Amino acid sequence: MEWLTNMNRAIDYIEKNLCGKIDYEKTAREACCSVYHFQRMFTFMTNITLSEYVRRRKMTLAAFDLQTSNIKILDLALNYGYESPEAFTRAFQSVHGMPPTAARKVGADIKAFPRISFQLTVKGASEMKYKIVEKKAFQVYGIEEIFDTRDGEHLKDIPDFWTEKLKNGEYEKLLKSAGFPSTVNAVCGYRDCEGTCFPYMLCVLKTPLSDTKGYTVVDVPEATWAVFVNEPHNMEDTPKAVQELNARVYTDWLPTANYDLIDGYDFEMYYSIDGRCYEEVWCRVTPKKEK
């Protein structure tokens, strides 16, 4: 269960550094992955963003401090890594629904958010379909955008990105550029970006027939891939279905798999059958080493 151990080690680092600013680069290193990958995994597994978890934990401890000491709001703000009492007060109110001064009163209805711990649970849930595929290096190209995992806005912004490109004709233009009947898919995390940002691209396979002028071209290395598929669903349910499939990769498959995930080049493949949609998620993997 090395993967779960790594995730819990990252949480240990966060808990030890709640007083002050959390270094997300160091957090990800504790989990043996990139910042983007760690934040993505964290959100899929917990249904909250890493930044929101950190905020909740800081404000839980700050509320305890308010009720058990006479510490000044300014000092409390500085203790928990906020640059001003105003920023601290906004964070406190967003979590507890009241300003810090009100939390000092006897009987104040404050909230406590416990530390997260990652562990294997037996759910007895539905089966998860997957296959292992070996694939030579290939190229894709398409329309790129940069998104940020910090506050989980990418979960909304990416579906909006698709909608925008469908409405303004860029989706159809990309499809025609393939030069043969094709499908627009998506790939993310194929190059490093600063901090918590990551690249995401609507893409098609590059062939000698492709017209790539004006598009971003990505070289995908030879790799072993774990391919996961979900059940057919209505088109309007696609964003939710893709996010749920990604979440199940981390929560249902990875903890007991004989493979480790490799950062980067995560593909979302889109299909339709009999008027309904389904998706595949492609993740690079490597067999676990014998100990």
Side-chain angles (χ1 to χ4, degrees):
M1 301 301 174
E2 183 178 357
W3 177 75
L4 289 173
T5 300
N6 292 343
M7 292 295 288
N8 282 315
R9 191 166 59 239
I11 297 300
D12 287 341
Y13 168 80
I14 290 171
E15 291 293 321
K16 291 175 182 176
N17 292 277
L18 287 173
C19 288
K21 290 189 175 181
I22 303 295
D23 186 327
Y24 286 170
E25 293 281 354
K26 290 183 179 179
T27 305
R29 283 199 294 271
E30 293 292 333
C32 301
C33 61
S34 66
V35 176
Y36 147 72
H37 197 63
F38 178 75
Q39 295 218 72
R40 194 165 182 258
M41 285 193 297
F42 188 93
T43 299
F44 282 136
M45 294 178 68
T46 64
N47 291 319
I48 61 170
T49 64
L50 179 59
S51 59
E52 178 60 23
Y53 172 74
V54 170
R55 184 183 300 113
R56 290 179 181 183
R57 289 294 296 138
K58 282 176 177 279
M59 294 306 104
T60 294
L61 299 184
F64 291 159
D65 291 343
L66 283 169
Q67 293 198 320
T68 58
S69 73
N70 294 318
I71 188 170
K72 295 179 180 179
I73 302 300
L74 173 59
D75 293 334
L76 198 58
L78 295 175
N79 284 354
Y80 287 100
Y82 288 85
E83 295 179 355
S84 69
E86 292 77 17
F88 172 79
T89 296
R90 286 194 298 271
F92 192 94
Q93 184 141 3
S94 71
V95 172
H96 296 289
M98 67 180 71
T101 51
R104 288 193 190 275
K105 297 177 182 178
V106 176
D109 188 13
I110 61 175
K111 300 173 184 176
F113 293 93
R115 168 198 169 122
I116 280 176
S117 177
F118 294 101
Q119 54 188 294
L120 178 64
T121 59
V122 179
K123 299 179 181 179
S126 58
E127 64 182 13
M128 190 168 191
K129 300 176 183 177
Y130 80 96
K131 58 186 175 182
I132 301 298
V133 175
E134 302 285 343
K135 197 169 182 64
K136 297 291 185 181
F138 60 98
Q139 292 180 304
V140 295
Y141 69 96
I143 308 166
E144 181 184 75
E145 186 65 73
I146 305 299
F147 296 95
D148 196 330
T149 60
R150 180 176 293 273
D151 293 315
E153 290 299 314
H154 65 291
L155 298 175
K156 175 183 179 297
D157 291 343
I158 288 176
D160 289 346
F161 176 60
W162 276 87
T163 300
E164 176 191 347
K165 302 310 175 186
L166 282 163
K167 286 184 176 179
N168 68 13
E170 292 186 56
Y171 176 97
E172 190 64 28
K173 182 181 176 182
L174 175 61
L175 200 57
K176 290 180 179 179
S177 73
F180 66 98
S182 186
T183 302
V184 174
N185 298 305
V187 60
C188 64
Y190 44 85
R191 63 180 174 84
D192 291 334
C193 288
E194 185 177 348
T196 58
C197 293
F198 69 97
Y200 181 95
M201 187 170 72
L202 306 188
C203 65
V204 294
L205 180 67
K206 182 179 180 295
T207 74
L209 298 175
S210 302
D211 178 7
T212 62
K213 185 178 180 180
Y215 293 114
T216 299
V217 178
V218 171
D219 295 306
V220 182
E222 180 177 359
T224 301
W225 302 82
V227 181
F228 306 87
V229 61
N230 58 15
E231 296 297 326
H233 53 80
N234 295 329
M235 182 178 294
E236 60 269 23
D237 296 326
T238 297
K240 179 181 178 182
V242 172
Q243 291 170 12
E244 288 179 349
L245 181 58
N246 272 300
R248 290 197 66 196
V249 171
Y250 296 113
T251 59
D252 293 4
W253 183 79
L254 187 57
T256 57
N258 291 323
Y259 293 87
D260 289 320
L261 294 185
I262 302 174
D263 273 9
Y265 301 95
D266 298 316
F267 277 88
E268 300 165 1
M269 314 294 279
Y270 294 87
Y271 305 94
S272 62
I273 182 171
D274 298 329
R276 288 168 66 78
C277 305
Y278 70 96
E279 294 77 39
E280 289 179 347
V281 165
W282 288 55
C283 303
R284 294 191 302 161
V285 296
T286 184
K288 287 186 184 294
K289 295 180 180 179
E290 294 288 341
K291 292 185 178 181

